[in-house]
Amino acid sequence: MRVNVAQLLKEPMGSMRRLEVSDDEGPGVRGNVELVRTDRGILVRGRLDTSVETTCSRCLARFSCPVTLHIEEEFFPLIDVISGAPLPTPEDPEDFTIDEQHVLDLSEAVRQYALLALPMKPLCRPDCAGLCPCCGHDLSQGPCSCVPRARDARLATLEQLLSDPGDALEKAGRSRRTGRKSAPK
């Protein structure tokens, strides 16, 4: 996704170009961006749709996760477009730059925004069952042959709360009013 911005750099501040990004410019990237001439460079704003190859956090399968990117970054030229003289490098080394041929490359910005747009715990599908904690079988493909583990008696109250939250909360409220602990069943 490379764009020659030499002409835009020659124009006054506020000049704008709108571009449609298609699969031709980047693998699986589509959307629209607008390039705006600023006092120091080119502001890129846009919405792009793409997908990122990642791993499901439950079953560890690789899958393609769709993401929408809302990009807003300023790119700074390294060479003055009129004189050809070198310009001071941006103060922050992480700033995006426009190369010596006045080409603005969106690839790195798209990569960074895509990584930030990934969900914290990506799932291959919403109902992914994950892996069996004993044998590692993918439970989305069916049950495994492991023997169910015995329940930990210390978690009985929590299991009761999860199975019937209203009843467990009512009992907890009664025991607080009387000052007594309810006896476990």
Side-chain angles (χ1 to χ4, degrees):
M1 293 177 290
R2 298 167 52 87
V3 180
N4 189 319
V5 292
Q7 189 59 40
L8 186 57
L9 286 169
K10 293 177 186 176
E11 294 181 16
M13 209 168 43
S15 297
M16 182 186 316
R17 301 278 186 281
R18 285 191 171 87
L19 301 172
E20 187 172 322
V21 178
S22 64
D23 286 333
D24 301 340
E25 284 111 37
V29 179
R30 295 175 162 255
N32 296 296
V33 293
E34 110 184 335
L35 310 173
V36 181
R37 176 70 165 108
T38 65
D39 60 336
R40 299 178 358 175
I42 305 287
L43 176 66
V44 177
R45 290 187 294 218
R47 180 180 183 270
L48 300 171
D49 296 309
T50 188
S51 60
V52 178
E53 190 74 21
T54 189
T55 304
C56 178
S57 63
R58 288 186 187 159
C59 69
L60 305 178
R62 298 286 296 165
F63 75 103
S64 185
C65 181
V67 292
T68 298
L69 316 176
H70 297 280
I71 293 179
E72 187 164 340
E73 288 291 337
E74 189 168 12
F75 287 72
F76 303 100
L78 298 174
I79 301 290
D80 183 86
V81 72
I82 305 295
S83 68
L87 294 171
T89 57
E91 296 149 11
D92 187 355
E94 301 297 317
D95 284 340
F96 295 106
T97 58
I98 301 168
D99 71 12
E100 293 81 9
Q101 287 79 37
H102 312 294
V103 174
L104 185 148
D105 189 357
L106 284 170
S107 302
E108 180 59 20
V110 167
R111 185 189 74 78
Q112 289 182 19
Y113 273 80
L115 289 174
L116 290 172
L118 275 174
M120 196 175 292
K121 297 211 178 229
L123 298 176
C124 60
R125 60 183 189 266
D127 63 339
C128 178
L131 301 175
C132 172
C134 295
C135 69
H137 175 73
D138 186 352
L139 298 173
S140 296
Q141 296 176 359
C144 65
S145 58
C146 292
V147 177
R149 295 193 312 192
R151 302 258 188 228
D152 188 341
R154 296 172 293 178
L155 299 177
T157 306
L158 180 59
E159 286 178 3
Q160 181 183 4
L161 179 64
L162 291 173
S163 65
D164 188 10
D167 188 40
L169 289 174
E170 186 179 312
K171 286 180 184 175
R174 260 188 273 136
S175 66
R176 250 187 261 135
R177 284 191 297 271
T178 62
R180 295 179 296 170
K181 290 186 177 181
S182 60
K185 294 181 179 180

